[in-house]
Amino acid sequence: MFDNQAARGKFACRGRVAGIAASVGAALIAVGIGALPAAGADASSASRSATAPAAAPAEPGLGSAGLMQSDDFFQQGLAPVRATVDLSGKQALSACSGEETMRELTKGKAAAHADVTWTFDTKGTSLTESVADGTTDTAAASYEKQLNKLVRGCQDEPRGHWYYGKGHTITTKAGEGSWYPAFSGDGKVAGGVAVIRSGHRFGIVELTGQPSDDPGYMEGITAGAINRLAD
């Protein structure tokens, strides 16, 4: 997940490979809606101009418009270059979850899925987001709890391993979330992860790399993701 290949090597120590490295590698092969340029367009509008074969229409109630858009990153010090959107729910959730996907987490019971992988002009920096429609607020809250439990499982790691730091809660008019800074094996800030929910929608966002030495940028990313997720 983090910052460079050396940091990613530490994931293998726990057998949790794939994570972001796999989702970035797989997503950029123009699956789903396809790989799209970020400049001058958000993920949904850029999707319509892609040269890849047209994807099936988004399921009712959730599509690429519910994902983070290019405008959400600039205030966090990130310059987006490319977005790859998929509506299958088959993107790996996070480095901590290994190869587990949103479709597997929900056992296929979610009403709809939407995933995106963003790359930026900073080498080694990327962001993945996977969201779903739980059909009811109660179901979404249950999945939100499961995702937070999954993330917290990577807070206590052996010395020299990457890990997630202390969780921080955030509430916006659109919903709620919990964000966690991420640290490399040498204790340096290296991105972060957030669990988000807005009504019956929920998801997880993970940033690889860092815009600055202040992990607070994850709060801004979390707020942006929650607001986009709102109905």
Side-chain angles (χ1 to χ4, degrees):
M1 173 181 129
F2 306 104
D3 153 73
N4 53 42
Q5 294 181 348
R8 287 199 178 96
K10 296 184 175 65
F11 302 166
C13 295
R14 292 181 56 86
R16 289 168 177 153
V17 294
I20 288 199
S23 61
V24 171
L28 293 179
I29 310 178
V31 293
I33 291 179
L36 317 165
D42 62 20
S44 56
S45 62
S47 299
R48 293 190 289 272
S49 64
T51 57
E59 296 174 72
L62 182 62
S64 60
L67 299 165
M68 295 194 75
Q69 310 295 326
S70 58
D71 291 346
D72 298 323
F73 298 115
F74 295 111
Q75 290 187 345
Q76 312 310 322
L78 293 166
V81 172
R82 194 179 191 188
T84 303
V85 178
D86 183 73
L87 303 177
S88 68
K90 295 182 179 180
Q91 174 176 275
L93 293 175
S94 73
C96 191
S97 70
E99 296 183 0
E100 185 173 13
T101 66
M102 188 65 78
R103 189 170 290 277
E104 291 171 337
L105 177 77
T106 61
K107 295 178 173 59
K109 295 180 180 180
H113 300 273
D115 304 328
V116 65
T117 297
W118 281 97
T119 56
F120 306 97
D121 67 352
T122 305
K123 184 178 181 181
T125 303
S126 64
L127 179 140
T128 59
E129 179 181 15
S130 182
V131 302
D133 187 335
T135 69
T136 68
D137 291 6
T138 300
S142 176
Y143 291 127
E144 176 190 19
K145 183 177 181 180
Q146 291 179 55
L147 287 170
N148 273 302
K149 182 178 180 181
L150 181 154
V151 168
R152 290 168 185 155
C154 285
Q155 287 180 312
D156 186 15
E157 296 290 321
R159 183 181 295 275
H161 285 236
W162 66 270
Y163 63 96
Y164 295 134
K166 178 182 178 181
H168 304 265
T169 58
I170 180 175
T171 301
T172 73
K173 291 182 179 180
E176 63 186 31
S178 299
W179 64 271
Y180 307 76
F183 299 90
S184 61
D186 56 7
K188 294 182 179 179
V189 178
V193 64
V195 175
I196 57 175
R197 182 171 73 88
S198 177
H200 50 87
R201 296 177 175 180
F202 64 97
I204 186 168
V205 183
E206 184 153 35
L207 177 69
T208 301
Q210 60 183 111
S212 71
D213 292 331
D214 179 6
Y217 52 73
M218 276 306 301
E219 182 174 7
I221 288 174
T222 305
I226 294 170
N227 292 337
R228 292 290 183 182
L229 192 60
D231 290 337

